[in-house]
Amino acid sequence: MGGLVFMRPPPRFVTCHNLGGAQQFVLTANGEIRISLVTCLEATAGTSPGQPPVLNRCLGNRNSQKWTHDVGGGPVVSVETNLCLDSGSPKEGEFPVLQPCNGKPEQNWIFGKYITPLARDL
């Protein structure tokens, strides 16, 4: 019998409503980008340049859900694919995608909050 697969569509650019929730992404100290306590941004090994990352259940120590980023701004790099999160020309309803890192402004991200891993994740 197969297991339950929890995978959501890729995140999309939308107009900010300043209410948090589904528009609030948090980069944790252990490299996960969380949208909630149980949902993480993921880039699997088969992800090709130009494809968007997906939202999936946070699974702890999984490289496909690990990202590197310098506090204060810069690229968000997938540990699994070594590709950078790229905003392209963000338009309502479009997806950010993964691209080879190139240092362009479309790959510069700033998080307003950095938190430590949750106690139950240790």
Side-chain angles (χ1 to χ4, degrees), residues 35-47:
I35 190 172
S36 71
L37 292 177
V38 297
T39 306
C40 286
L41 195 64
E42 182 168 24
T44 58
T47 303

Side-chain angles (χ1 to χ4, degrees), residues 41-107:
L41 195 64
E42 182 168 24
T44 58
T47 303
S48 301
Q51 290 183 305
V54 295
L55 297 172
N56 201 357
R57 182 172 306 280
C58 297
L59 299 170
N61 194 18
R62 190 175 195 183
N63 278 345
S64 62
Q65 294 180 349
K66 301 291 183 194
W67 303 83
T68 61
H69 175 70
D70 292 328
V71 174
V76 173
V77 183
S78 164
V79 170
E80 183 77 21
T81 66
N82 205 37
L83 296 172
C84 282
L85 190 61
D86 191 303
S87 66
S89 298
K91 294 184 180 95
E92 186 85 16
E94 291 187 357
F95 307 110
V97 295
L98 294 163
Q99 294 287 8
C101 300
N102 58 26
K104 291 186 177 177
E106 294 84 1
Q107 295 180 353

Side-chain angles (χ1 to χ4, degrees), residues 9-52:
R12 295 178 184 264
F13 292 111
V14 295
T15 303
C16 291
H17 54 53
N18 297 316
L19 299 175
Q23 292 186 341
Q24 185 173 355
F25 286 77
V26 178
L27 178 64
T28 67
N30 62 351
E32 295 169 322
I33 297 177
R34 290 182 177 241
I35 190 172
S36 71
L37 292 177
V38 297
T39 306
C40 286
L41 195 64
E42 182 168 24
T44 58
T47 303
S48 301
Q51 290 183 305

